[in-house]
Amino acid sequence: MSETETISAAVGGFLARIRRERGLTLDQIARAARSYGASWSASSVSNIERGQASLTLPTLLLLALALGDLLEEPLPLSALLGDVEALTLVAGSQYPVERSWVDGVLNGAEVIRRSVDSVDAEDDEEIDEELEAEVLRRMREMRGREATRAEVDAQVAQLLDESQLPPESATRNPAKGDAGSLAEERAAAKLGVSTARLRRLALDLWAHSLEEESSRRAGSGSTPQARGRVTRVLVEEVRGFMNEVR
């Protein structure tokens, strides 16, 4: 599958793959959807699979319910999009949106347009400023003095390089003890919870750490800026989850 797809093509590709891997028939899916009140035939499911159906929200919900029953495991709506990295909201559009943006919206994030091609300079600047502030704070604590610009720049560059390491390398550094990674500490601070509490919430929500989920969604070889944007979406997902479990 190409890196950028329409939503209809992404859902159709996912459906075709799942049918092939699990040995499902068009009629099985149609019958499962009819149990929820749909009037689908095998032809209806075929149209979805070929990307020729009008994918309204009820259609997506019915498809998720039908596949969830047949696979014997609940499916989030975002799973129907398969593994595509970017999506176009309108066929032929020259302005794709990031997959992480779509996942965030489906999980309750605000619907604010974010294009794949428009790398937001303000976001990059915000990330650097947050890192610089954190570096200055830590250097003051460790050395009892203000750091020089060269020291701050060198430390920020090191932190950005470390953010490209696999999550296991970043989170299992014995020197950090139970303080958590820099990304976890910043996310916990934004949410007003302890790092330990953030870790428990992440495990409940995604079955792994915030950094692992950020790495998975941003994709291999992603830049620190891209990881930062994904992490901000994840923080909002955790915030929404906290509100649900209160």
Side-chain angles (χ1 to χ4, degrees):
M1 182 176 290
S2 63
E3 291 187 355
T4 302
E5 295 278 3
T6 63
I7 291 178
S8 295
V11 172
F14 170 78
L15 178 56
R17 178 171 62 80
I18 286 296
R19 279 210 316 113
R20 182 175 63 251
E21 291 177 354
R22 300 299 183 94
L24 300 174
T25 66
L26 296 171
D27 189 57
Q28 280 179 303
I29 297 171
R31 281 190 282 111
R34 287 200 297 272
S35 71
Y36 290 99
S39 57
W40 292 8
S41 64
S43 177
S44 303
V45 180
S46 177
N47 286 338
I48 295 174
E49 191 170 291
R50 287 182 284 122
Q52 296 178 352
S54 176
L55 295 183
T56 63
L57 179 57
T59 298
L60 292 173
L61 291 171
L62 286 165
L63 181 60
L65 286 168
L67 290 177
D69 285 353
L70 293 170
L71 300 176
E72 298 184 343
E73 56 181 285
L75 288 180
L77 280 182
S78 60
L80 299 180
L81 297 172
D83 298 325
V84 295
E85 298 176 2
L87 294 150
T88 54
L89 304 182
V90 179
S93 171
Q94 299 301 309
Y95 304 98
V97 294
E98 295 176 348
R99 169 62 182 275
S100 60
W101 178 87
V102 177
D103 287 344
V105 168
L106 290 174
N107 282 288
E110 293 181 348
V111 185
I112 302 173
R113 177 72 159 81
R114 300 303 295 273
S115 170
V116 167
D117 297 326
S118 60
V119 177
D120 200 290
E122 293 181 1
D123 282 350
D124 298 348
E125 183 178 343
E126 177 188 345
I127 293 169
D128 290 344
E129 288 177 354
E130 289 182 0
L131 282 173
E132 287 183 4
E134 182 67 18
V135 167
L136 283 169
R137 183 185 67 78
R138 292 191 177 194
M139 284 187 170
R140 279 197 300 270
E141 290 178 353
M142 290 187 296
R143 305 180 184 183
R145 66 172 176 82
E146 293 290 342
T148 65
R149 167 54 59 181
E151 289 173 328
V152 172
D153 288 345
Q155 185 65 22
V156 167
Q158 180 181 341
L159 289 170
L160 289 175
D161 288 342
E162 287 176 354
S163 72
Q164 296 302 293
L165 295 173
E168 293 80 1
S169 301
T171 58
R172 296 179 184 172
N173 185 344
K176 291 182 179 179
D178 196 43
S181 68
L182 178 61
E184 286 176 326
E185 290 181 6
R186 286 164 55 193
K190 288 181 179 179
L191 293 166
V193 299
S194 67
T195 305
R197 171 66 171 156
L198 172 65
R199 287 174 175 172
R200 290 194 296 272
L201 288 166
L203 288 174
D204 289 342
L205 189 54
W206 305 302
H208 43 247
S209 72
L210 180 142
E211 286 197 72
E212 289 172 319
E213 182 68 9
S214 176
S215 178
R216 184 188 72 80
R217 295 197 195 183
S220 60
S222 58
T223 65
Q225 289 77 16
R227 289 276 293 278
R229 288 192 292 274
V230 171
T231 298
R232 280 194 287 279
V233 171
L234 299 182
V235 168
E236 292 309 310
E237 289 184 17
V238 174
R239 194 188 306 279
F241 182 62
M242 289 170 59
N243 291 334
E244 291 177 3
V245 298
R246 279 178 183 171

